[in-house]
Amino acid sequence: MNVNYTAEELAFRDEVRAFLKSELPADIAAKVKLGKHMSKEDHQRWQQILVKRGWYAPGWPVELGGTTWGPVEKHIFDEECAAFGAPRTVPFGVNMVAPVIIKFGTQQQKDHYLPRILSGEDWWCQGYSEPGAGSDLASLKTRAVRDGDHYVVNGQKTWTTLGQHANMIFCLVRTDPEAQQQRGISFLLIDMKSPGISVRPIITLDGDHEVNEVFFDNVRVPVENLVGEENQGWTCAKYLLTHERTGLAGIGASKAALAHLKRIAMKEVCDGKPMLEDPLFRAQVAEVEMQLMAIEMSTLRILAAAKEGGVPGAESSILKIKGTEIRQAITHLLRKVIGPYALPFLEEELQLDYDGELLHADYSASLAGDYFNMRKLSIFGGSNEIQKNIVSKMILEL
C-alpha cells in the first residue's frame, strides 16, 4: 500500500500553503500559536475566508457547498492549517449536525439550515451529554412529549461547548420512555431563543468560559424540527459520532504542538544549557515524537485504504486512543519545560493586546491551562475506555 503523497497531492499541499500564507489573518494565527483567547468574531472571520475560497465544508456534497477532496486532501489541509496557526473549525454546525441533516433531514430542513451554517447566521451547539449520561449516552433522560404540532422538552444537558454563543442546539431527547433505551430517542433541532431555555456557564480552572449547562423547562419545539423518524434518533446519533471522531487523533495539531515544544525547550535554560539538550528531557520528547510518527503512518494507511473505497472501522478507535494520549503527553512536556513558571497565572496575559509586564514569557501563560484542559481529550467523543472495548470486540474478538 502506497502511503506516499502523489504529485497531485503535493501540488495541493503547495496550494494550501500559499492560501494560508496570504489569507490567514496574522492576529488570529498569533492567538492560536500563543494560546491566547479566541473570540466568536475571530472564528466567524476565519470561517468567511474559508467559505469565500470554498474550503469551509469539505465533507459536504459539492452541489451544497462542499469540495471534491478525498480523505488524503482533508488530512493535508488539516495538517497545514495546524502548522500555520489557523484556528480549529468549530465543528458543531459544519461537521456534525450538517452531515446528519444532509443524510436524514427533509428537503425543507436542508434548504433552510445548510445555507445558514455556511453564512454563519446559525451558530450550533451539541445537546448530547447529561449529568447522568456521558459515555453511556443511551441512558439520557431529557424528555420530549408530543403535544399537537410541537414537542414539549424538559431536562438538562451539560458540557455544552460554546453554548453561550449558540442560537441553535441539536439535541437527543427521549420520546418513548417505555422502549429499549436506544429505540426511544429522537433527534431535535431547537432554537436557543425559545422560551424556557436557560444557559448556565461552567467556568474552568483557568477562568475560561468554554462549557455550559443548558436547561429545558417546558420548551416547545415544532414537530417539523424532528430529524429522521421519531424514536429513531439513535441512528442519527451514531452517524454524527462517526463524523465527530474523525480527526480526533489530531495529527496536525500534535505536530504543531511538538514543534512549539521544541522551540520553547531551546529557549528555556537549565544548568546553563537549553532544556532540549538535557538527556532525560530530550529522551522524553523523542519518545513522544516516535509515537506521533507511528500514529501518522497508521493514519496514512487508513486514509490510503479509504481512498480506494475502504471504510475506517475499529481502527479509528485505535487512532483516537493513541492520538489523544500523545496530545496529552505534549501538553505535559510543555508545562514541564517551564517548570515553576507554569504555576503563576494572570488571565490578562491570555489577551493578545496585553501590554503589561509578563510573568515569564508570551508563550507561558496558557501552558498550565492547556495541560488541564487537554485532560478532556481522552473522555469526549467516546471515552478511551469505550474505544478500548470497541477494539477488544471488533479487532481482538474478545
Side-chain angles (χ1 to χ4, degrees), residues 66-288:
T67 69
T68 58
W69 297 353
V72 176
E73 287 79 10
K74 180 63 167 59
H75 173 76
I76 290 172
F77 180 74
D78 289 343
E79 184 172 331
E80 295 303 323
C81 282
F84 275 80
R88 173 177 172 266
T89 298
V90 178
F92 308 109
V94 64
N95 293 333
M96 294 172 70
V97 73
V100 172
I101 293 173
I102 291 170
K103 177 74 172 178
F104 301 102
T106 64
Q107 191 60 49
Q108 180 182 5
Q109 289 170 341
K110 296 174 187 177
D111 293 342
H112 178 74
Y113 290 112
L114 297 180
R116 293 168 66 92
I117 291 173
L118 287 179
S119 68
E121 190 172 355
D122 283 342
W123 181 295
W124 288 83
C125 61
Q126 180 183 25
Y128 269 30
S129 294
E130 299 182 3
S135 293
D136 183 19
L137 188 59
S139 65
L140 65 90
K141 292 181 172 56
T142 296
R143 286 291 311 278
V145 178
R146 182 75 178 262
D147 180 21
D149 293 333
H150 288 79
Y151 288 102
V152 180
V153 179
N154 285 277
Q156 177 188 356
K157 299 294 180 177
T158 193
W159 308 122
T160 310
T161 302
L162 301 181
Q164 73 272 24
H165 298 321
N167 66 304
M168 295 294 298
I169 183 171
F170 55 91
C171 272
L172 291 181
V173 295
R174 189 163 300 286
T175 42
D176 185 356
E178 303 302 323
Q180 180 186 359
Q181 282 187 322
Q182 289 90 340
R183 295 184 181 276
I185 292 173
S186 298
F187 193 101
L188 287 183
L189 311 176
I190 303 178
D191 189 332
M192 291 284 282
K193 298 187 294 296
S194 303
I197 293 181
S198 57
V199 179
R200 181 186 301 169
I202 300 174
I203 305 302
T204 51
L205 282 172
D206 60 354
D208 194 18
H209 179 192
E210 180 185 14
V211 289
N212 305 267
E213 297 175 286
V214 180
F215 298 88
F216 301 87
D217 183 10
N218 290 322
V219 177
R220 297 185 66 83
V221 180
V223 171
E224 64 192 35
N225 286 23
L226 173 71
V227 179
E229 298 180 18
E230 184 175 282
N231 297 325
Q232 299 300 314
W234 194 248
T235 302
C236 298
K238 290 190 297 182
Y239 185 77
L240 185 149
L241 284 172
T242 63
H243 286 267
E244 181 182 6
R245 289 171 183 164
T246 300
L248 281 185
I251 304 299
S254 290
K255 291 176 76 171
L258 182 63
H260 184 53
L261 168 62
K262 290 180 178 180
R263 286 192 294 269
I264 293 177
M266 285 302 296
K267 293 179 180 180
E268 296 294 323
V269 176
C270 180
D271 294 332
K273 59 183 179 181
M275 276 288 292
L276 197 57
E277 296 181 8
D278 176 80
L280 179 59
F281 185 79
R282 190 179 185 88
Q284 293 172 331
V285 174
E287 173 66 23
V288 171

Side-chain angles (χ1 to χ4, degrees), residues 106 265 326 367:
T106 64
I326 289 171
L367 297 188

Side-chain angles (χ1 to χ4, degrees), residues 12 15-16 19-21 23-25 28 42-58 65-67 69 74 77-78 80-82 85-90 94-95 117-119:
F12 174 72
E15 182 184 2
V16 173
F19 166 73
L20 292 168
K21 186 175 181 179
E23 300 295 334
L24 176 60
I28 291 180
D42 291 329
H43 287 288
Q44 290 182 316
R45 181 157 48 114
W46 177 234
Q47 173 181 332
Q48 290 312 303
I49 292 172
L50 291 175
V51 168
K52 183 178 179 181
R53 183 60 180 256
W55 285 358
Y56 180 62
T67 69
W69 297 353
K74 180 63 167 59
F77 180 74
D78 289 343
E80 295 303 323
C81 282
R88 173 177 172 266
T89 298
V90 178
V94 64
N95 293 333
I117 291 173
L118 287 179
S119 68

